[in-house]
Amino acid sequence: MSPVSSLPLLLAAASPSPSPSETPTTPAVPTLEDAQESATNAASWVEENWSTWLAIGLRVLLIVVIAAVLRVVVRRAITKLIDRMNRSVPATEGSTLGGLLVNVERRRQRSQAIGSVLRSVASFLILGTAALMVLATFEINLAPLLASAGVAGVAIGFGARNLVTDFLSGVFMILEDQYGVGDTVDAGVASGEVIEVGLRVTKLRGDQGEIWYVRNGEVKRIGNLSQGWATAGVDVTVRADEDLDKVRRTLTEVGETMSKEEPWNELLWGPIEVLGLDDLLLESMVVRVSAKTMPGKALTIERELRWRIKKAFNAADIRIVGGIPAQPDSPDDDSAAAVSPPSVYANSTSPQSERATPITPSGVPAK
């Protein structure tokens, strides 16, 4: 080796080597061999696990497709069931009255509410079950999730038990068709016309225009004044010496005339009947008149009946009695007779006034 060529080697040997603290921090640039090695490892990992991932993906896809198809089928089945309920009209004792008792719009609203609740519950159950099955497919431990959900459900149910009670009561009220929008009901805590039926709260409009918000869980009884028919009853009190046949004949004529006139012939769902004596006293007797009417129209029929009965009785010279009779004014009455006479004590010189004067004690001068 020539000296010239060996000079760089000698200089490198003579130069001091850098300490570990003086080592440069410049990152090493990956080489082509490193990239090839990484690609080879990734390809081998994909080759080893592609079948597993493909199976998981196909399983998830199958679960999603089955859940979607099942949801569509269940919702359509519920819709068809509600439509069938809408078309089926219950007969009422085979009479023509049954057709009038069926409120088509009311039944349509009720069926829509029931269908909405059922569809929502079905969708929640199907999609919730599908989500849990997808998580289980990825080998996620569902035990802590289900335990946490159970504890949270118990806590929420215990804290919001009134809310749950209101919701369940509302569902059963709709399913059983206890009342609907437009009905006049007596809910115990409030009464009035139903303007909105919810799953938690029912809104009533009272007689004075006020709106009552009644929680469904607080309703213990419901008096529906708009279902079926109403009964209009009028008690007519006459003197005990009146001719009963004449009274019955007059009341029957009033009922027949009213039943043939508009709009009372539509509001009356049955003939106006004279039921007979409802009460019998020494000086008076009570005759009962009754009729089946359209729901909510009983008070209107009663007012019209009283009006017509009063006019018919006046024409037939039948006197209606009851209550405290009015005292007639007598022409011989003297208005001054009701004034009390002056007292004898008003005259200071009368014997009574002198006897009532206190005795003056001896030795005391009289004033």
Side-chain angles (χ1 to χ4, degrees):
M1 179 181 297
S2 65
V4 179
S5 60
S6 62
L7 182 59
L9 297 176
L10 293 175
L11 293 175
S15 61
S17 60
S19 62
S21 60
E22 297 175 356
T23 303
T25 58
T26 303
V29 178
T31 61
L32 182 60
E33 290 79 5
D34 295 337
Q36 291 178 351
E37 184 179 359
S38 299
T40 304
N41 294 334
S44 62
W45 183 83
V46 171
E47 184 179 1
E48 292 175 359
N49 298 280
W50 72 270
S51 59
T52 303
W53 284 102
L54 181 60
I56 293 176
L58 292 177
R59 192 177 304 170
V60 171
L61 181 60
L62 182 63
I63 292 174
V64 172
V65 171
I66 292 177
V69 173
L70 184 60
R71 179 173 177 269
V72 172
V73 171
V74 172
R75 290 173 66 91
R76 288 187 177 180
I78 293 174
T79 303
K80 290 184 178 180
L81 177 62
I82 297 302
D83 292 341
R84 183 175 299 177
M85 291 174 57
N86 246 347
R87 289 194 300 265
S88 60
V89 179
T92 307
E93 299 178 358
S95 62
T96 57
L97 185 61
L100 298 176
L101 300 180
V102 177
N103 191 331
V104 178
E105 182 64 20
R106 169 192 174 89
R107 296 177 67 249
R108 186 187 63 81
Q109 294 179 359
R110 172 174 170 261
S111 61
Q112 286 183 352
I114 296 174
S116 176
V117 172
L118 294 180
R119 283 190 291 267
S120 299
V121 172
S123 299
F124 176 77
L125 293 178
I126 293 173
L127 297 181
T129 305
L132 293 178
M133 294 178 65
V134 169
L135 294 177
T137 303
F138 287 101
E139 297 182 356
I140 298 177
N141 189 9
L142 299 179
L145 179 62
L146 295 177
S148 301
V151 173
V154 172
I156 294 175
F158 181 77
R161 58 186 181 274
N162 292 333
L163 181 63
V164 175
T165 302
D166 297 340
F167 179 81
L168 294 179
S169 300
V171 170
F172 282 104
M173 285 179 180
I174 294 176
L175 289 176
E176 296 173 359
D177 193 21
Q178 297 181 8
Y179 53 81
V181 177
D183 289 353
T184 302
V185 300
D186 181 3
V189 294
S191 60
E193 181 183 354
V194 180
I195 60 177
E196 184 178 342
V197 179
L199 294 178
R200 192 182 69 87
V201 174
T202 297
K203 294 182 182 180
L204 304 177
R205 184 175 296 277
D207 297 335
Q208 305 299 325
E210 69 276 9
I211 296 180
W212 298 96
Y213 294 84
V214 182
R215 288 170 44 194
N216 295 330
E218 295 182 350
V219 178
K220 304 302 180 183
R221 62 172 180 84
I222 287 289
N224 196 327
L225 306 179
S226 300
Q227 283 185 349
W229 61 80
T231 302
V234 175
D235 292 333
V236 183
T237 305
V238 297
R239 294 179 301 183
D241 56 352
E242 292 287 350
D243 186 1
L244 285 178
D245 295 333
K246 181 179 179 181
V247 172
R248 178 187 291 273
R249 185 169 55 255
T250 305
L251 293 176
T252 303
E253 292 176 356
V254 170
E256 292 177 353
T257 304
M258 184 175 176
S259 301
K260 297 177 182 178
E261 296 181 359
E262 296 279 350
W264 312 112
N265 54 355
E266 296 181 359
L267 301 181
L268 289 169
W269 285 4
I272 299 178
E273 301 178 351
V274 181
L275 301 182
L277 285 178
D278 195 64
D279 197 4
L280 183 61
L281 302 175
L282 292 177
E283 298 181 355
S284 63
M285 53 185 177
V286 179
V287 181
R288 181 76 173 177
V289 181
S290 177
K292 288 183 179 180
T293 69
M294 180 183 294
K297 300 299 181 180
L299 186 59
T300 304
I301 297 296
E302 290 176 358
R303 290 171 177 171
E304 183 66 18
L305 266 178
R306 293 189 185 97
W307 184 281
R308 291 172 178 262
I309 289 173
K310 173 60 177 174
K311 293 177 64 176
F313 276 18
N314 289 342
D317 195 20
I318 300 176
R319 183 178 178 183
I320 298 178
V321 298
I324 300 176
Q327 299 295 332
D329 295 334
S330 176
D332 299 335
D333 289 343
D334 186 6
S335 59
V339 181
S340 299
S343 175
V344 293
Y345 293 100
N347 186 5
S348 59
T349 60
S350 64
Q352 291 83 358
S353 298
E354 292 178 356
R355 292 188 181 92
T357 302
I359 300 175
T360 304
S362 60
V364 178
K367 295 182 180 180

